[in-house]
Amino acid sequence: MREQLLRTIKLAPEFAPAYYLLAFVHLVTEEHLDEALQMAEKARRLDPSKASYVLLLAEIHAQRSDLAAARSLLDPLTRDSDPRIKNEAQNLLDRLNNPAGSRATRDAAAKMSSAIPAEPVASSTTRTLGGDTSGGTAIRDGQTIETSGALPTVDELLARYVEAMGGAKAINALTSRVIKGTVDIPGVSRGGSFETYTQAPNKSMTIVDAYPMGRIKVGYNGRGGWTQTPQGVQVVKVAAELASLQRDSDINAPLRIKTNFAKVTLAGTSQIGYREVYVLDLQPAVGAVERLYLDAKTYLPVRINTTRKLGAVLAPVEVYLDDWQAVEGIQYPFSISQRFQKLTLSYTVKEIRHNLPLEASLFEAPK
């Protein structure tokens, strides 16, 4: 359930019931309560009219022993027009005010967990991610390309993309970038970490530390690439892999798509979840074609179909980019999901800093 709900959130980040149900699952299983709190708060922000979202948020606060926060949410609900919400809020509030202490609080949350039903999905186009009202499970995943209708030129589309990212002036002003965050492997492990260091014009080094992979470093020093795994250090020799690493190390990459790729074509339009997207095919000088999906409204990337190193081989991967936020005028995805055939890596950005001094040795292969 968690994996499918996370996928739903990636495809439809404005769909509040997915956040609600994920928070509910965490509460019932008494696991990942910090994430449950974030999910419930997101659902509430997306649809503040739903009293059931507020009630669930109060229960999570109670389960986390934050009684003051729970009470502040429950008190208005005791006057709600819905008798069910009103009664459940009053019952939980009474239990929280019980002087028996934290055990009573935990028991109250446990009892209330079974009382809150999962958020129903209205019988409309929101029944499935593909908008199919027949109740099927087909997902609009960008595979069907439409070529009819008026389309912008490649140059027009790339110009809108650069502008959406923050504009050429802001991007060109970058001398270095440091990104840090967490990485989860759904169904396998949680709480890993990652760091990415990039220096103009084309140096980078990334560290990923997550079970069961262990600590992995990938670097490019402007001339060549390398990887370090628990098994040792290797120089990148495969031409396609090296070219991909070089493109990923370009700090001005949004401005240089037509430079970094031998051919750029607009395949047409498609849909990913509820999003209308433009589909750009990017042909590198060596290696397989990459496919870039740009949101037709925001012109920010939704997904990239490309290849990445997985173990000892380059493997196809779908990279989903969500939760875009501005940092000093430049847009970045704070939620990134790499979906390989049998493995998903979910990255959450916690910090982005620009123009810090970086040591040149950082990008060199370890001895």
Side-chain angles (χ1 to χ4, degrees), residues 119-281:
E119 172 70 10
V121 180
S123 57
S124 67
T125 56
T126 59
R127 285 181 60 89
T128 66
L129 291 176
D132 178 7
T133 58
S134 66
T137 58
I139 295 176
R140 291 173 176 170
D141 60 358
Q143 297 300 316
T144 302
I145 308 297
E146 296 289 340
T147 58
S148 59
L151 293 173
T153 67
V154 168
D155 287 343
E156 289 171 342
L157 197 53
L158 292 179
R160 293 173 189 174
Y161 165 49
V162 169
E163 189 63 27
M165 290 289 294
K169 183 178 180 180
I171 296 172
N172 273 322
L174 293 178
T175 59
S176 70
R177 177 174 57 225
V178 178
I179 302 176
K180 297 182 179 181
T182 59
V183 57
D184 299 327
I185 305 177
V188 179
S189 67
R190 298 179 61 83
S193 64
F194 79 94
E195 302 174 9
T196 297
Y197 301 85
T198 309
Q199 187 175 66
N202 61 348
K203 296 181 179 180
S204 72
M205 195 274 289
T206 297
I207 306 171
V208 177
D209 194 348
Y211 176 83
M213 301 182 302
R215 187 177 177 87
I216 297 174
K217 291 185 178 182
V218 179
Y220 185 81
N221 63 8
R223 304 176 306 278
W226 52 270
T227 62
Q228 182 183 35
T229 69
Q231 289 70 44
V233 178
Q234 289 186 332
V235 175
V236 176
K237 296 181 179 180
V238 178
E241 181 184 354
L242 187 61
S244 176
L245 186 56
Q246 183 178 16
R247 292 193 298 271
D248 289 344
S249 301
D250 187 349
I251 200 168
N252 296 326
L255 308 178
R256 293 166 49 82
I257 289 182
K258 294 188 74 173
T259 300
N260 289 336
F261 292 91
K263 185 179 181 181
V264 180
T265 57
L266 177 58
T269 61
S270 188
Q271 290 183 320
I272 297 179
Y274 296 113
R275 296 175 178 176
E276 300 286 340
V277 294
Y278 290 109
V279 184
L280 285 168
D281 284 337

Side-chain angles (χ1 to χ4, degrees), residues 40-52:
E41 288 175 338
K42 179 70 171 180
R44 183 191 181 193
R45 288 197 300 270
L46 289 172
D47 193 349
S49 66
K50 288 289 183 67
S52 58

Side-chain angles (χ1 to χ4, degrees), residues 177-182 194-197 325 327 332-334 348-354 356:
R177 177 174 57 225
V178 178
I179 302 176
K180 297 182 179 181
T182 59
F194 79 94
E195 302 174 9
T196 297
Y197 301 85
Q325 300 178 36
V327 178
Y332 292 102
F334 274 61
T348 301
V349 174
K350 299 296 185 181
E351 175 188 2
I352 298 178
R353 300 180 68 185
H354 291 153
L356 298 178

